[in-house]
Amino acid sequence: MGESIAAVVVRAAELTARGLPRKAIDLLRPALVAHPLHAEAWCRLAAAHLDVGEPDPALDAAKRALVLDGDHAWAQRLAALALSELGRHAEAAVAARECVRRKPGDWRCRVVLAEVLAAAPETRVEAVEVAREAAHLAPTEARAFQVLGDAALRVRDWGTAEWAYRSALALDPADEDVHANLATVRRKRGASGRPSGDALSRAHELVWPLFSRVAAMLVAGGLLLLLAGMPKPTPWIGWFSGALVLAVCVVVGRVALRRAVWALPRYRPKVAVVAVLFGLSTLVLVGWTVALFLGATTMQPLVIAWLCALAGGSVVVLGGGR
């Protein structure tokens, strides 16, 4: 008898995979009348009902599986999807979180949680992070990246959505839905011009250590110039000042070609403040250097440049790169 119901479950799975979930339902229902304690069969039935857009019987079947011995995480996933389709988002989220709790290493649980969270506006940002975890757990599963793209699309994170959809297509090039969504994202991203959250975070991680080096150069170099130029600077000091400006330009030039770096000050206020202070300090140094070669003997511009560098360095130290 056990082999009989097992064979029915296998045939139902094959029918569902071939896009015939209604035939799978017709096959499973009479088998479950004879074998009502077979949890996997109830899960297969719930999945088939979801495939044909029938969340109510899918939820009933998933609940039957939950009270039997079997894969409760699978039953929780199915229950969460059915509840979500019924508009019961809070209950769906509870079921999906329980699924993740039962099997934290199962990427499918996180995929379902991301889908459920993405359905409610107040949890869409969390959905992106959960989907990102699913993609990390299953780097060879196109579905994980597709769900990440869908979640990112809902929060208008075009860069993350495009990357996720491209990753999904690299694994499954024939998915027409992903192709369509990727085309939508590219249109939207072209209209907005905003880098993705991932790109901004990577740019921040790149820029902040650079700011630390620039702060050390401008503060220490400015202090040395102050000491060397007292009481009256000479044109020879201009060569050292010019060397300092050149060194700063070389360090900054290493990351200046990255698009996200230029966009970063618009979205990270601390970066904007530090960039303005360091930029002002460098410009004043350039002007003072030129003035020295033309015969000027004032120290005031150097003091201003040094104070700007000190203020920017303080923001870098106190900000801690967060």
Side-chain angles (χ1 to χ4, degrees):
M1 298 294 287
E3 291 181 358
S4 176
I5 185 63
V8 169
V9 169
V10 171
R11 287 175 55 199
E14 292 173 349
L15 288 169
T16 303
R18 288 163 47 195
L20 301 171
R22 179 60 65 188
K23 288 188 176 181
I25 293 171
D26 294 339
L27 182 66
L28 286 165
R29 283 209 169 276
L32 281 166
V33 173
H35 304 275
L37 302 182
H38 200 281
E40 184 180 355
W42 284 112
C43 286
R44 287 290 175 195
L45 180 62
H49 277 299
L50 285 174
D51 283 347
V52 297
E54 297 174 348
D56 279 311
L59 180 59
D60 291 338
K63 286 181 177 179
R64 292 290 298 269
L66 281 171
V67 299
L68 301 173
D69 291 334
D71 188 351
H72 285 179
W74 185 13
Q76 289 283 6
R77 293 201 310 269
L78 295 165
L81 290 172
L83 288 165
S84 182
E85 290 194 21
L86 290 169
R88 296 158 63 177
H89 299 301
E91 295 173 78
V94 171
R97 292 186 195 280
E98 176 62 17
C99 177
V100 172
R101 187 192 69 79
R102 287 177 180 271
K103 283 192 174 181
D106 191 334
W107 66 274
R108 295 167 298 183
C109 294
R110 294 184 188 273
V111 160
V112 170
L113 178 58
E115 290 182 292
V116 168
L117 294 176
E122 64 274 10
T123 53
R124 284 175 180 167
V125 174
E126 184 186 357
V128 176
E129 296 307 314
V130 173
R132 203 187 309 275
E133 293 169 359
H136 177 72
L137 287 172
T140 60
E141 296 291 341
R143 179 60 180 162
F145 289 99
Q146 181 183 1
V147 171
L148 174 57
D150 293 344
L153 182 62
R154 293 199 177 202
V155 297
R156 306 175 70 84
D157 186 348
W158 311 128
T160 299
E162 181 174 354
W163 171 80
Y165 286 138
R166 286 169 64 91
S167 300
L169 288 175
L171 297 167
D172 183 9
D175 195 315
E176 295 181 0
D177 290 337
V178 176
H179 277 290
N181 288 344
L182 178 58
T184 299
V185 168
R186 284 172 172 168
R187 288 196 305 270
K188 297 288 188 180
R189 189 178 188 184
S192 71
R194 172 176 176 145
S196 69
D198 280 348
L200 289 174
S201 296
R202 288 193 297 269
H204 191 110
E205 293 172 358
L206 185 66
V207 164
W208 208 256
L210 178 142
F211 278 164
S212 298
R213 292 194 293 272
V214 172
M217 293 168 63
L218 289 175
V219 173
L223 183 59
L224 289 175
L225 288 171
L226 282 170
L227 296 175
M230 294 178 63
K232 183 179 179 180
T234 65
W236 286 103
I237 300 297
W239 291 105
F240 294 102
S241 177
L244 176 60
V245 171
L246 180 61
V248 170
C249 291
V250 169
V251 171
V252 173
R254 293 177 180 176
V255 299
L257 297 179
R258 296 174 181 264
R259 174 176 171 267
V261 168
W262 287 98
L264 194 59
R266 295 174 55 192
Y267 307 105
R268 304 291 169 90
K270 284 192 300 183
V271 173
V273 170
V274 174
V276 168
L277 290 170
F278 286 167
L280 183 60
S281 175
T282 304
L283 287 175
V284 173
L285 270 179
V286 171
W288 183 66
T289 301
V290 173
L292 286 178
F293 287 126
L294 294 177
T297 58
T298 179
M299 295 284 286
Q300 289 182 344
L302 177 59
V303 173
I304 294 173
W306 186 78
L307 289 175
C308 289
L310 185 63
S314 299
V315 175
V316 172
V317 172
L318 296 176
R322 294 185 297 275

